[in-house]
């Protein structure tokens, strides 16, 4: 008998037929003698619908109330899935994040998990129930509802698997696993049999939304090995685990893209103003703007250009936050903005030991006549911005340049 924690995403429970399909999958595991905890997302489109509803009442809905509203999406799906299990004669109960003992802290709409007190889950499991748990939610020590950031049911599942010391943790979704690139964008992308936490983390945080990046961070921290696989078939998926030496054999594991990016440049900052970077970053942090790439250049005239990328939806707030400090930075200092950008990243732990990765990437983009904007690198990732209109083509040529379809098929 194994204790299996599974997570079913929005598309996997996106219709009544799909809910019955999930119920049958859980029934099969129970009949095989396993204990099952299924963490479930809201039906696809429901969370977006709830956010739209909030915005139809208020232009700036209060985050605390948004959490109260958004968390109802998952409560619908756990109740429906549990009812479907009852129809099959499976003993099952639904539980909310609070009942699962998920204690959170931090800001509303992006709460963080502080601890999990799993005694109620353990009691139900001991009594022979399958547990259907609401993803994406928890409560503070005072009982205030928090949601865990978009895609946060992944985090709920990984954290519950860690707390219950589950034998198996599976993230079930609408693709067969983690691919070398989003298969909707690169048709020749292939499924990876395995990927390291660090590669998964870099891919997730640079746009591969198949996993929420914070959930991967959590899995790495607590050593939760998990599998990403399809809820629509029984094919083996992708195992995400600690890196092993053989993983360094290939330089690039995958390509990620991210749309809806914008660039803000603060130009003409006198280089003698030594505190400019701290001042700019502080006001942007106070405005809760998530910066991604940060690049500084000093020109011959001694003036600095400091550029950042961010999600398009933060652009207006970033401009507003920077305006009051422009004069402090220098009399000629001004803001330039550019919208309609995309980011493309190549990721692989093999980059630590292989040279020429950036050269291959840039050459592939140049051959396809795609202009590169900003560049940033980490030990295992190279990211560039391009015009969003050519982003898909950029992903296709870069994927091809590293022969990702062939190399990974052989592994
Ligand atoms: P769920 O609703 O199950 O949480 P998501 O929509 O969050 O599912 O994630 C699955 C989607 O992630 C896929 O449909 C796919 O288009 C997208 N995706 C992006 N990058 C990748 C990748 N590298 N491998 C697999 N899927 C990817
Ligand atoms: N329902 C939430 C969202 O759409 C959480 C999740 O699906 O993981 O972001
Ligand atoms: Mg998801």
């Amino acid at each position: 008998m194994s204790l299996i924690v599974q997570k079913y995403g929005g598309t996997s429970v996106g219709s009544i037929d799909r809910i019955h399909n999930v119920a049958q999958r859980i029934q099969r595991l129970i009949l095989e003698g396993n204990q099952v905890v299924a963490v479930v997302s809201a039906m696809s489109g429901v969370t977006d619908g709830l956010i739209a509803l909030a915005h139809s009442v208020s232009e700036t809905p209060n985050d605390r109330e948004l959490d109260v509203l958004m968390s109802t999406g998952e409560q619908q799906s756990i109740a429906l899935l549990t009812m479907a299990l009852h129809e099959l004669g499976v003993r099952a109960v639904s539980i909310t994040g609070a009942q699962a003992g998920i204690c959170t802290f931090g800001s509303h709409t992006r709460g963080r998990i502080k601890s999990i007190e799993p005694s109620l889950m353990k009691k139900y499991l001991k009594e022979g129930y399958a547990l259907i748990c609401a993803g994406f939610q928890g409560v503070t020590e005072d009982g205030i509802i928090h949601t865990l950031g978009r895609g946060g049911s992944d985090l709920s599942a990984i954290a519950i698997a860690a707390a219950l010391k589950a034998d198996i943790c599976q993230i079930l979704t609408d693709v067969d696993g983690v691919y070398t690139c989003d298969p909707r964008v690169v048709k020749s992308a292939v499924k990876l049999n395995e990927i390291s936490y660090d590669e998964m983390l870099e891919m997730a945080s640079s746009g591969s939304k198949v996993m929420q990046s914070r959930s991967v961070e959590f899995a790495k921290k607590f050593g939760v090995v998990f599998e990403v696989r399809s809820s629509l078939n029984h094919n083996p998926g992708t195992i995400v685990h600690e890196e092993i030496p053989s993983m360094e054999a290939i330089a690039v594991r995958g390509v990620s893209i991210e749309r809806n990016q914008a660039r803000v440049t603060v130009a003409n900052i006198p280089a003698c103003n030594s505190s400019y970077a701290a001042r700019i970053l502080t006001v942007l942090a106070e405005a809760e703007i998530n910066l991604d790439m940060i690049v500084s250049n000093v020109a011959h005239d001694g003036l600095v250009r400091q550029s950042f990328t961010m999600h398009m939806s933060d652009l207006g707030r970033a401009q507003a936050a920077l305006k009051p400090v422009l004069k402090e930075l220098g009399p000629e200092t001004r803001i330039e903005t550019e919208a309609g950008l995309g980011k493309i990243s190549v990721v692989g732990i093999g980059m630590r030991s292989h040279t020429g990765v950036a050269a291959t990437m840039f050459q592939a983009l140049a051959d396809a006549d795609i202009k590169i904007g900003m560049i940033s690198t980490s030990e295992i990732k190279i990211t560039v911005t391009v015009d969003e209109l050519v982003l898909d083509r950029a992903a296709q040529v870069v994927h091809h340049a590293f022969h990702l379809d062939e190399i990974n098929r052989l592994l």
Side-chain angles (χ1 to χ4, degrees), residues 7 9-10 41 150-152 154 171 173 209-212:
K7 176 255 171 175
S41 294
R150 296 306 303 268
D154 295 336
I171 306 294
T173 182
K209 293 274 154 43
V210 62
M211 285 300 297
Q212 188 215 32

Side-chain angles (χ1 to χ4, degrees), residues 202 206 252 256 293 344-348 351 356-359 361-362 375-384 402:
E202 290 281 24
S206 58
V252 173
S256 293
M293 301 162 86
I344 170 164
S345 308
V346 292
V347 173
M351 264 182 227
V357 175
M361 180 182 189
F362 297 172
I375 302 169
S376 80
T377 60
S378 79
E379 200 188 15
I380 64 163
K381 181 171 79 174
I382 300 169
T383 304
V384 300
F402 287 101

Side-chain angles (χ1 to χ4, degrees), residues 5-31:
V5 172
Q6 296 190 313
K7 176 255 171 175
Y8 288 95
T11 38
S12 301
V13 292
S15 66
I16 298 306
D17 279 351
R18 292 272 171 95
I19 288 177
H20 284 303
N21 166 58
V22 170
Q24 280 163 10
R25 294 182 73 106
I26 294 172
Q27 180 191 34
R28 184 172 146 170
L29 295 175
I30 300 281
L31 291 175

Side-chain angles (χ1 to χ4, degrees), residues 7 9-11 173-175 177-179 181-182 184 208-210:
K7 176 255 171 175
T11 38
T173 182
D174 58 358
V175 277
V178 181
Y179 279 65
C181 189
D182 187 341
R184 290 177 210 253
S208 295
K209 293 274 154 43
V210 62

